[in-house]
Amino acid sequence: MDAIGSYLPHYDCGTIILNVKAQKRWRVAYVAIRSYRVLLSLSKQNVVRQKESSATLLRPHFAVEIQPAISYHHNDVDIPKPHSPYHDLPDIDPTKLTEMVKERDEASFRRFGGVEGVAAFLQVNPQHGILGNEDDICRRRDKFGSNTYPKPPPKGLLYFVKDAFKDTTILILLACAALSLGFGIKEHGPSEGWYEGGSIFVAVFLVISVSALSNLRQERQFDKLSKISNNIKVDVARDGRRQKISIFDIVVGDVVFLNIGDQIPADGLFLEGHSMQVDESSMTGESDHVEVDRERNPFLFSGSKVADGYARMLVTSVGMNTAWGQMMTSISRDTNERTPLQARLDKLTSSIGKVGLAVAFLVLVVLLIRYFIGETKDEYGHKEYNGSKTEINAILNSVVNIVAAAVTIIVVAIPEGLPLAVTLTLAYSMKRMMADQAMVRKLSACETMGSATIICTDKTGTLTLNQMKVTKFWLGQDDMGEIPSNSISPCILELFRQGVGLNTTGSVYRPASGDVFEFSGSPTEKAILSWAVHELGMDVERLKQTYSILHVETFNSEKKRSGVSIRKNADKTIHVHWKGAAEMVLQMCSNYYETNGTMKSMDEDARNQFEKIIQGMAASSLRCIALAYKQISEVNEDGETNKKLNENELTLLGIVGLKDPCRSGVKKAVEICKSAGVEIKMITGDNVFTAKAIAAECGILGPNDSEHKGAVVEGVEFRNYTQEERMEKVNKIRVMARSSPFDKLLMVQCLKQKGEVVAVTGDGTNDAPALKEADIGLSMGIQGTEVAKESSDIVILDDNFTSVATVLRWGRCVYNNIQKFIQFQLTVNVAALVINFVAAVSAGEVPLTAVQMLWVNLIMDTLGALALATDRPTNELMQRAPVGRTEPLITNIMWRNLLAQALYQIAVLLTLQFKGEKIFNVGEKVNDTLIFNTFVLCQVFNEFNARKLEKQNVFQGIHKNKLFLGIIGLTIVLQVVMVEFLKKFADTENLSRQQWALCIAIAAVSWPIGWIVKFIPVSDKPFLGYLNRAGQALGRILHRTRLSFSSLGGGSGKR
């Protein structure tokens, strides 16, 4: 323990004796013990040095560099800075500290000597934190563990391969392949008989492998994004400096700064703070907030949230040594989250699958009947079935091939590529959105954002830069812009320094070398602290030594002000200081100071004058902050009467105006959203005049809006409307000023009741209800609290409204990409089903073999999804109206496009099936290859058509999508290989150049068809709606007919 003394600051005993009366008893004891240990440690070090110097003659020597203690000077006050050589941490079982906090063991806590004893034991300076160098952190991590916990192992490739084998159709195909392989080898021998069955095996495994690899890639992408979202930044003190580090880098002994809305990153003890209340519901399930203080309940638990107040905590347990870590180990991320769009696609897939199953069953029945009645012939023209003369093996082989063909129809008919396409486009969009400063926390938000009709946005940091600077200062009724601070009365200056330096959650740090100050805290706090230090000569360290803080009321968006009561150590006088929204603080004041220090009573004229000053500053887009104070008397020594700060008859010290410029791209982003049919509403806690000025500057308020009554309201006005009035006026509101989180929630509820799809931005803890209530909650990554982030669907990493507009573009892009793929895949489904059914019924055979149809399935499912689901957003997406909640997934435009292409493909392929041999004078094998090749090339050309649902020019921007061009090229190369080099595998014949040109020419006709059909106008009423109405009308006719017949029957009975 002697080593600890050398680490702690050195104290001047004379100073200690002079200030004993101003310190509490534990501080005197603490200082005395530490001073004694310092002296003892120095004497021991001298003895050690003497021994080492005599021993150097007897052994090889080494040098130890001992640096002098470093201190830094701040306005002639010498403040020691911690320095220590490295010492081993005390040998103790870490579980003792863990159990003490976990069990709230006050007896063990007292045995350690309270929080100071624990800090000394962990070799931590409570003010400056740990040394924080690499060696110190490594020793602590080795001794107490890291702030991480083991996660369940990620899903590997084998998992997704196994998952693919759960598909019933795949299992049936594999069974058919096995039987076909057995019969083929038995009939034709191993060298020739394996082709058909083996080909099906290879094709099935190819489909499974591509699907599994694709799913694995998306799983890894989601895991990567999950790690990023869990990487919370935390403020700690290390080596006397406040800095942000990752939550995973926290070690035992760290001193952590906690504010409202923060997640507590590890288990620990309360060092110091005020009004600290913690929400432990994530751990205990209890919704009541727990008060935390130094004496009665100093225990803080990982995973809890700070509900009120601020504090510094000492970390005692990390990672798996915390209850939260043990709980999180058993929790794995739910990757099976189904988005609304995926749920709709599941229904669509099920419906199409049922149709495919019905067609496959009919084909199976027809082919079996034709086979057993002798209608089918082999390649030599002989009947395949001759009754009892046919061998049982030949019968079984033929039946297996028929079943395989029917099952392959099901495989092609069921659009299992739809879920894959959604997963691909969501994963791709999430990755790109990360690059565009938006981190998706909930998959459903990607697609829901595309349907947003209203965005309710904050002002500060979202529309503005959040780079505050004090540009105006009024003392009394005088503008102090050009007046130097030394002309202000010293007593007034001292009051200002108190009100700024002690009523703050920010901090000031001055490095040992250099005169540059570092400010931390919110942008508003940093701006006011910077102004007070540079303009008013404020010395925070001197203030902290001169005054003691008695009670604090932290700022929140309800009160819009913060307060503190302080006691001067020298004469025990107590001052209450308030700082906050200017017009609200002004209402609490009955006096004000002039520049010369004279206090004047605030009559009605003076109050009106101050209101005009505030309005003038606000109209210049300035945030107005007022400072006020009151001197009070203390009733008892503990200051219990000061728990509730005095809010009446204050004296106004002054008003400062902070400029926060608008972001450069905000006006354009607002215009883009408006052109996309999305209305922007600004909800801010700022003054109504500041709000109007910023809204006009950003383009949210137009010239006509500012004149229109009801476009700008205050939160209290909106709150006091009746429900009917709110519902009537909510759509007209463009700006809501001086709003509380409850007002924001109220507006979201009203808009949702009116059928709007609402996106809301928020950064505070109190914004959580509105973020949860909204269809899409958008939290701020920089200024947002952890509570706000957890309540949101998407985190805007740069707090910029332009990124909100980008999220809107991506939301629409996701929906549009899915629609493109649906159109492409349904074209193949319709064409394949009709062709196979007609050919089976009329000719008794299907034109495409099982392997060929599996190849088509691979093209349209996996490769098609990759090609069409990864298009980037275009400007044209932001020129359409939002997609409604109930709008059908398959629009009339899509029906028009896919039916035109499907009918063309059906006509061409059936012509080739029945007349191809005569028209082109080719044999059956070559004709079948022509059919297969033409069908595949039709899909390749149709992929281009699917890129644009409405525009004639399907090649616009194609050079930007390298993946699309790559997949098209790969598909064509693989098709050439299938036809020309894998003849036995694919059951094809070589084609001449003229035949290839013929196939390409037939397939290329789909381009002009796609161009022409887009001129055909379509109704806004859903296509399927007509069928539903026709069905309902038919039902009504049948119902009336039945009634009329029953009435006739009843009448005849009576007669």
Side-chain angles (χ1 to χ4, degrees):
M1 295 295 288
D2 298 315
I4 300 168
S6 63
Y7 174 65
L8 294 164
H10 293 237
Y11 292 86
D12 179 5
C13 290
T15 306
I16 292 169
I17 293 166
L18 289 172
N19 290 311
V20 161
K21 293 181 181 179
Q23 306 294 329
K24 291 186 179 179
R25 290 184 180 178
W26 63 266
R27 286 186 181 170
V28 176
Y30 177 79
V31 170
I33 292 166
R34 293 293 165 260
S35 300
Y36 169 75
R37 285 179 174 170
V38 167
L39 295 171
L40 188 61
S41 114
L42 287 172
S43 64
K44 286 188 177 182
Q45 284 176 13
N46 286 330
V47 173
V48 171
R49 285 188 194 123
Q50 288 171 6
K51 287 181 180 178
E52 286 180 344
S53 62
S54 61
T56 52
L57 299 172
L58 303 174
R59 66 165 188 255
H61 68 274
F62 61 93
V64 178
E65 183 183 356
I66 300 175
Q67 298 177 353
I70 303 168
S71 61
Y72 67 97
H73 299 272
H74 181 62
N75 289 7
D76 302 324
V77 179
D78 188 30
I79 302 168
K81 192 175 181 181
H83 170 76
S84 169
Y86 300 138
H87 299 289
D88 288 334
L89 289 162
D91 188 18
I92 183 177
D93 184 0
T95 56
K96 289 186 178 179
L97 282 173
T98 301
E99 291 301 319
M100 178 188 74
V101 175
K102 196 185 292 183
E103 303 297 330
R104 302 182 194 262
D105 189 346
E106 293 184 16
S108 296
F109 179 63
R110 284 193 294 272
R111 280 197 297 274
F112 268 106
V115 70
E116 290 81 17
V118 175
F121 184 80
L122 294 173
Q123 297 183 9
V124 179
N125 183 313
Q127 294 300 319
H128 298 281
I130 62 174
L131 285 174
N133 52 45
E134 191 174 341
D135 186 79
D136 185 32
I137 290 169
C138 286
R139 287 183 305 117
R140 292 177 185 277
R141 199 169 280 145
D142 291 342
K143 180 73 178 175
F144 299 104
S146 64
N147 199 30
T148 56
Y149 44 85
K151 290 277 230 172
K155 296 170 183 173
L157 180 62
L158 193 60
Y159 171 87
F160 292 106
V161 171
K162 286 180 181 176
D163 194 54
F165 276 110
K166 293 176 183 176
D167 188 342
T168 310
T169 54
I170 292 291
L171 293 175
I172 295 171
L173 270 177
L174 287 173
C176 292
L179 290 170
S180 180
L181 186 66
F183 293 133
I185 290 172
K186 187 173 182 180
E187 187 175 344
H188 303 290
S191 59
E192 297 287 332
W194 70 272
Y195 287 131
E196 191 164 351
S199 299
I200 297 174
F201 266 124
V202 172
V204 168
F205 279 113
L206 184 64
V207 170
I208 287 172
S209 300
V210 172
S211 176
L213 284 168
S214 180
N215 285 329
L216 177 66
R217 182 173 172 272
Q218 307 327 316
E219 177 72 15
R220 286 182 176 171
Q221 182 66 42
F222 290 141
D223 278 339
K224 186 179 176 182
L225 291 171
S226 177
K227 285 175 185 173
I228 293 170
S229 68
N230 291 332
N231 188 14
I232 300 164
K233 296 297 178 185
V234 181
D235 276 354
V236 299
R238 286 184 176 177
D239 199 23
R241 185 173 186 172
R242 184 166 172 168
Q243 53 190 280
K244 280 190 181 294
I245 64 169
S246 166
I247 191 172
F248 304 124
D249 294 333
I250 284 177
V251 293
V252 168
D254 262 323
V255 174
V256 180
F257 294 87
L258 299 173
N259 289 299
I260 293 178
D262 286 350
Q263 177 178 312
I264 297 174
D267 286 0
L269 298 169
F270 179 95
L271 268 173
E272 64 176 15
H274 296 279
S275 309
M276 184 73 165
Q277 290 193 338
V278 174
D279 176 7
E280 296 181 354
S281 58
S282 59
M283 297 295 298
T284 64
E286 297 293 333
S287 58
D288 292 340
H289 294 164
V290 178
E291 192 167 339
V292 180
D293 56 30
R294 195 183 182 94
E295 304 299 330
R296 288 169 292 185
N297 178 28
F299 306 108
L300 293 162
F301 298 97
S302 174
S304 304
K305 307 289 190 307
V306 180
D308 196 9
Y310 62 89
R312 290 189 304 122
M313 72 171 279
L314 174 67
V315 175
T316 57
S317 305
V318 293
M320 284 303 296
N321 291 325
T322 66
W324 179 256
Q326 292 169 5
M327 184 172 72
M328 290 303 289
T329 307
S330 59
I331 298 174
S332 60
R333 185 177 61 83
D334 180 19
T335 55
N336 296 320
E337 175 192 355
R338 307 301 289 170
T339 70
L341 185 56
Q342 283 175 320
R344 291 171 74 181
L345 284 174
D346 287 343
K347 288 183 180 177
L348 179 64
T349 303
S350 176
S351 302
I352 296 170
K354 287 173 184 175
V355 174
L357 195 63
V359 171
F361 179 73
L362 287 172
V363 168
L364 177 66
V365 171
V366 168
L367 290 179
L368 286 173
I369 290 171
R370 289 180 66 93
Y371 174 77
F372 284 111
I373 64 174
E375 288 291 318
T376 55
K377 296 177 181 179
D378 60 19
E379 55 188 322
Y380 304 108
H382 303 138
K383 285 185 180 181
E384 289 187 343
Y385 180 74
N386 290 308
S388 57
K389 296 177 184 179
T390 310
E391 293 182 6
I392 190 71
N393 285 342
I395 295 172
L396 289 173
N397 193 26
S398 297
V399 169
V400 165
N401 288 334
I402 290 170
V403 171
V407 172
T408 309
I409 290 172
I410 298 173
V411 172
V412 175
I414 295 174
E416 64 266 24
L418 285 179
L420 175 63
V422 177
T423 308
L424 279 170
T425 193
L426 287 174
Y428 176 79
S429 302
M430 285 172 72
K431 184 179 178 182
R432 290 292 184 180
M433 285 165 78
M434 274 294 289
D436 289 339
Q437 302 299 315
M439 183 178 71
V440 179
R441 295 187 72 255
K442 293 180 183 173
L443 282 177
S444 56
C446 282
E447 61 199 44
T448 312
M449 193 66 191
S451 303
T453 57
I454 288 177
I455 299 174
C456 298
T457 178
D458 289 333
K459 177 187 78 68
T460 306
T462 309
L463 299 172
T464 61
L465 285 168
N466 213 8
Q467 294 173 0
M468 303 274 188
K469 185 179 180 182
V470 175
T471 58
K472 278 278 186 184
F473 171 36
W474 288 77
L475 202 166
Q477 298 183 2
D478 296 322
D479 185 350
M480 304 299 291
E482 302 297 326
I483 302 172
S485 61
N486 56 19
S487 64
I488 302 172
S489 168
C491 66
I492 303 297
L493 268 180
E494 182 62 18
L495 288 170
F496 263 109
R497 291 166 184 159
Q498 293 172 25
V500 174
L502 299 174
N503 184 14
T504 181
T505 54
S507 62
V508 181
Y509 172 75
R510 189 179 187 181
S513 57
D515 296 327
V516 179
F517 290 89
E518 293 179 13
F519 303 96
S520 60
S522 70
T524 304
E525 294 285 7
K526 287 194 288 187
I528 296 175
L529 285 170
S530 174
W531 167 74
V533 167
H534 293 115
E535 299 297 328
L536 306 183
M538 182 180 73
D539 180 356
V540 175
E541 292 299 331
R542 186 188 63 79
L543 285 171
K544 287 180 179 177
Q545 291 173 10
T546 309
Y547 300 94
S548 299
I549 295 175
L550 300 176
H551 185 63
V552 171
E553 284 197 23
T554 51
F555 178 90
N556 66 45
S557 46
E558 291 282 354
K559 299 180 293 186
K560 303 202 185 301
R561 61 183 182 271
S562 64
V564 64
S565 61
I566 60 173
R567 177 172 54 201
K568 192 171 184 179
N569 295 332
D571 58 12
K572 307 296 185 187
T573 56
I574 294 179
H575 289 167
V576 172
H577 283 273
W578 286 97
K579 178 181 72 180
E583 70 270 26
M584 293 190 169
V585 173
L586 182 65
Q587 291 172 7
M588 299 156 62
C589 296
S590 54
N591 305 290
Y592 67 95
Y593 271 120
E594 291 189 322
T595 314
N596 57 12
T598 307
M599 183 189 292
K600 283 197 166 184
S601 176
M602 190 178 294
D603 56 20
E604 199 61 36
D605 291 338
R607 192 176 296 278
N608 291 336
Q609 185 61 32
F610 279 116
E611 286 175 354
K612 285 179 182 176
I613 289 170
I614 293 167
Q615 289 174 15
M617 291 167 72
S620 303
S621 305
L622 298 182
R623 170 175 281 188
C624 303
I625 304 292
L627 294 100
Y629 100 106
K630 184 177 184 178
Q631 183 172 331
I632 62 172
S633 60
E634 186 176 28
V635 174
N636 56 48
E637 205 50 42
D638 295 328
E640 288 298 326
T641 57
N642 299 308
K643 288 292 183 185
K644 183 77 172 76
L645 298 187
N646 197 305
E647 299 182 358
N648 301 317
E649 298 182 350
L650 304 180
T651 301
L652 182 69
L653 292 174
I655 303 169
V656 293
L658 292 86
K659 182 70 175 175
D660 186 14
C662 280
R663 292 183 182 270
S664 56
V666 161
K667 190 166 187 178
K668 186 178 179 184
V670 170
E671 288 172 2
I672 289 169
C673 289
K674 285 184 173 180
S675 68
V678 180
E679 189 183 322
I680 310 297
K681 297 182 187 292
M682 187 176 88
I683 304 176
T684 177
D686 263 342
N687 182 299
V688 67
F689 297 98
T690 308
K692 283 171 71 174
I694 295 290
E697 194 176 340
C698 294
I700 294 171
L701 268 183
N704 299 328
D705 289 329
S706 53
E707 295 172 8
H708 180 66
K709 194 175 190 300
V712 181
V713 298
E714 288 196 342
V716 65
E717 183 184 348
F718 182 74
R719 202 181 313 143
N720 292 332
Y721 287 151
T722 64
Q723 178 64 16
E724 291 74 21
E725 287 175 324
R726 274 197 293 270
M727 294 296 286
E728 181 189 343
K729 298 179 180 182
V730 69
N731 281 342
K732 298 174 187 174
I733 295 170
R734 297 287 177 273
V735 176
M736 185 157 68
R738 284 290 177 241
S739 65
S740 69
F742 176 73
D743 300 327
K744 185 185 280 192
L745 175 63
L746 210 55
M747 176 169 275
V748 172
Q749 289 171 339
C750 288
L751 290 169
K752 285 184 73 177
Q753 285 169 22
K754 296 205 80 163
E756 306 286 358
V757 180
V758 187
V760 169
T761 69
D763 54 12
T765 304
N766 293 333
D767 288 328
L771 289 169
K772 285 182 176 177
E773 180 70 24
D775 295 290
I776 313 104
L778 304 159
S779 64
M780 300 295 112
I782 299 171
Q783 289 302 311
T785 63
E786 288 308 313
V787 174
K789 289 175 189 175
E790 285 194 8
S791 301
S792 67
D793 305 304
I794 297 173
V795 180
I796 305 299
L797 298 175
D798 60 355
D799 291 16
N800 192 341
F801 183 80
T802 307
S803 299
V804 177
T806 304
V807 171
L808 181 66
R809 284 163 62 93
W810 273 110
R812 294 192 172 191
C813 182
V814 167
Y815 198 87
N816 191 55
N817 284 349
I818 299 300
Q819 286 187 316
K820 290 176 190 176
F821 182 70
I822 289 171
Q823 177 182 299
F824 170 70
Q825 189 164 48
L826 287 187
T827 304
V828 186
N829 290 141
V830 171
L833 284 174
V834 172
I835 291 163
N836 280 298
F837 179 70
V838 172
V841 171
S842 56
E845 60 183 8
V846 289
L848 301 177
T849 65
V851 172
Q852 290 171 353
M853 292 187 76
L854 284 169
W855 169 235
V856 172
N857 187 65
L858 183 67
I859 292 173
M860 71 178 190
D861 275 356
T862 308
L863 297 180
L866 274 169
L868 293 170
T870 54
D871 255 346
R872 299 203 68 172
T874 58
N875 291 331
E876 66 186 74
L877 289 173
M878 300 300 281
Q879 292 162 5
R880 305 176 187 167
V883 178
R885 288 179 190 271
T886 56
E887 191 168 320
L889 198 56
I890 308 174
T891 63
N892 286 357
I893 290 167
M894 292 167 65
W895 280 117
R896 177 195 66 192
N897 297 342
L898 76 88
L899 286 175
Q901 295 294 336
L903 289 172
Y904 171 70
Q905 290 180 22
I906 290 165
V908 167
L909 295 176
L910 287 178
T911 302
L912 287 174
Q913 171 71 16
F914 295 111
K915 301 291 183 182
E917 293 176 30
K918 290 181 181 178
I919 294 173
F920 302 113
N921 194 26
V922 293
E924 184 182 352
K925 277 277 188 183
V926 174
N927 190 54
D928 288 344
T929 305
L930 283 172
I931 292 171
F932 168 57
N933 202 33
T934 304
F935 188 53
V936 170
L937 290 175
C938 278
Q939 312 322 318
V940 171
F941 279 89
N942 195 35
E943 273 189 85
F944 287 88
N945 287 325
R947 288 190 70 245
K948 304 288 180 182
L949 298 178
E950 296 181 61
K951 285 202 167 186
Q952 271 84 14
N953 184 7
V954 295
F955 305 106
Q956 184 181 355
I958 198 168
H959 61 283
K960 295 179 182 177
N961 194 340
K962 303 290 192 298
L963 184 61
F964 179 87
L965 294 173
I967 287 171
I968 292 293
L970 178 65
T971 305
I972 292 170
V973 169
L974 290 174
Q975 180 63 15
V976 171
V977 171
M978 286 279 286
V979 171
E980 299 295 332
F981 300 103
L982 298 175
K983 294 185 289 183
K984 290 191 175 180
F985 171 75
D987 198 17
T988 57
E989 288 290 326
N990 290 346
L991 297 179
S992 65
R993 290 183 180 179
Q994 291 80 4
Q995 289 166 340
W996 269 101
L998 177 68
C999 293
I1000 292 169
I1002 293 170
V1005 175
S1006 63
W1007 280 353
I1009 290 173
W1011 186 79
I1012 291 166
V1013 296
K1014 286 174 183 174
F1015 286 104
I1016 301 171
V1018 292
S1019 170
D1020 291 333
K1021 293 179 181 178
F1023 172 71
L1024 292 178
Y1026 290 112
L1027 297 179
N1028 288 337
R1029 281 192 290 276
Q1032 289 170 3
L1034 182 62
R1036 283 195 296 271
I1037 291 168
L1038 291 172
H1039 181 65
R1040 286 171 187 165
T1041 306
R1042 193 164 54 250
L1043 286 175
S1044 60
F1045 272 112
S1046 62
S1047 62
L1048 284 170
S1052 61
K1054 283 177 186 177
R1055 283 192 296 270

